[in-house]
Each structure stands twice: as structure tokens, then as C-alpha cells.
Amino acid sequence: MRTRAPDIYAAGDCTDQPQFVYVVAAAGTRAAINMTGGDAALDLTTLPRVIFTDPQVATVGYSEQEAHHEGIETESRLLSLDNVPRALVNFDTRGFIQMVAEAGTGRLLGVQAVAAVAGELIQAAALAIHHRMTVSDLSSQLFPYLTMVEGLKLAAQTFSKDVRRLSCCAG
Ligand SMILES: Cc1cc2nc3c(=O)[nH]c(=O)nc-3n(C[C@H](O)[C@H](O)[C@H](O)COP(=O)(O)OP(=O)(O)OC[C@H]3O[C@@H](n4cnc5c(N)ncnc54)[C@H](O)[C@@H]3O)c2cc1C
């Protein structure tokens, strides 16, 4: 957060950081630590982003294109929302959940979701990426049935099975 002028620190929309209020708050805290002699960095690698359209657009981590740009080989799956029970119950199956994983290891790299409440499920994906979970780890977690976030588990399961053939509850 230090600018080119050594005694001047900056946070927020006047910088080139992503313009989200939670980024601003985190950067401000770290700027205060650094200007009082500390050494705090702002890690934006698992920054969740939400666009409050209808349906919402929410992303975290790498898209396929971004991963390839970094030289990372990927495997990805796209789950349309007509495979997610909560979306069916809500009569709103507009959208999808796309999952990007590292080829070979299956480590989750990114999630892009378009859904009525995509903003509500993206933080679970951010935690999974932060804790270096694989799609296999994610698909063996317990997710509550009839929630939208269950779509993350179903999307993870598409790496190893055809979720349209599951009877119930993404088991
Ligand atoms: C319409 C809109 C919707 C948004 N929605 C979201 C959202 O849903 N989620 C999200 O995370 N982010 C959202 N953002 C972005 C978020 O609001 C900004 O990233 C954040 O407020 C930037 O904080 P800041 O402190 O850098 O600037 P600001 O919040 O703009 O604060 C700057 C302050 O400085 C004051 N000021 C300006 N000039 C002077 C001066 N000369 N002297 C004294 N004071 C001055 C201003 O009055 C203002 O109070 C939205 C932004 C907009 C515009």
C-alpha cells in the first residue's frame, strides 16, 4: 500500500486495486500496519467478486483462460442449474456453475457462477481454494440438501460422475 512517495500510503478506489469495499477495508488495515512499522501484505488470490445483476455473477480464483496464461494446465466442468435441486425448487434454473481445476492434481483453481444467488455460494468456493482443496475433497464434503451451495458439490462431482444419474442429495 506504500506509494512511490515513501511516506505516503494509499488504499481504496484511488489505487489500482479491485474496487470492492471489503478490499478497501483490508487494504486500509494493512496500510495502517505498514505505516506504523509493520509488514502486512494484501493477498488477493482468492478474492471473491460479485456482480449484483439478476441473475448474479460471482467469481473467485482463476478462469481457464487466466490459468492457461499462467502456464497452468486445467480441467474444467460446467454444471447447468437445472441439475441443482434448489434451483429447480425455486423455478429459476437460469445460469451455471463452472469449476476450474489443475489438470492431474484436481486442485481447485477457480469458480465462475451465474445464478440468482451466486454471491451466496462463492465464499464457500473461496475457502476451498484458500485451503487448497481438490475437486475430490469438495465432492466428499457434506452439503445441506436444498441449498444453492450444494451446487458446488454437484459441480465438483461432475469431474468423476454423471450427476444427472444421482437419485438425491448429491451423495
Ligand atoms: C454504485 C456503486 C455500487 C457499489 N456496490 C458495491 C458493492 O455492492 N460491494 C462492494 O464491495 N463495493 C461496491 N462498490 C464499490 C465501493 O463502494 C468502493 O470500492 C469503495 O466505497 C471505495 O472506498 P474508498 O474509501 O476508496 O472511497 P469512497 O468510499 O468513495 O470514499 C471517499 C470519501 O472521500 C470523500 N472525499 C472526496 N473528496 C474529498 C475531499 N477533497 N476532502 C474530503 N473528503 C473527500 C468522499 O466524500 C467520500 O466520502 C460500489 C460502488 C458504487 C459507485
Side-chain angles (χ1 to χ4, degrees):
M1 273 56 68
R2 192 172 66 194
T3 65
R4 270 180 290 178
D7 294 334
I8 298 182
Y9 291 73
D13 286 1
C14 62
T15 70
D16 62 358
Q17 289 164 356
Q19 296 190 347
F20 296 110
V21 72
Y22 45 102
V23 174
V24 178
T29 311
R30 284 153 184 78
I33 292 169
N34 292 343
M35 69 177 72
T36 52
D39 182 19
L42 181 63
D43 181 4
L44 297 175
T45 49
T46 55
L47 168 70
R49 300 165 185 261
V50 183
I51 302 170
F52 292 99
T53 44
D54 180 19
Q56 296 174 0
V57 179
T59 65
V60 63
Y62 284 125
S63 66
E64 268 196 302
Q65 197 180 20
E66 287 164 343
H68 295 166
H69 189 258
E70 297 291 320
I72 305 169
E73 276 189 49
T74 60
E75 200 183 339
S76 69
R77 297 284 189 279
L78 189 144
L79 180 78
S80 57
L81 286 197
D82 54 353
N83 291 292
V84 178
R86 180 77 248 178
L88 290 168
V89 166
N90 289 354
F91 298 108
D92 187 357
T93 54
R94 295 171 300 159
F96 61 85
I97 298 171
Q98 173 156 292
M99 227 167 229
V100 180
E102 184 179 44
T105 67
R107 183 165 66 89
L108 186 62
L109 298 173
V111 172
Q112 298 85 44
V114 174
V117 289
E120 304 298 326
L121 62 82
I122 205 66
Q123 189 59 32
L127 288 170
I129 295 170
H130 179 74
H131 291 288
R132 303 179 69 81
M133 290 176 78
T134 63
V135 288
S136 166
D137 293 331
L138 203 51
S139 65
S140 59
Q141 291 289 306
L142 298 174
F143 278 70
Y145 176 64
L146 273 189
T147 59
M148 279 302 288
V149 75
E150 187 187 23
L152 283 182
K153 174 175 176 140
L154 286 157
Q157 286 181 319
T158 59
F159 283 80
S160 57
K161 60 179 80 164
D162 181 356
V163 295
R164 287 169 304 180
R165 299 172 74 90
L166 294 175
S167 58
C168 162
C169 315

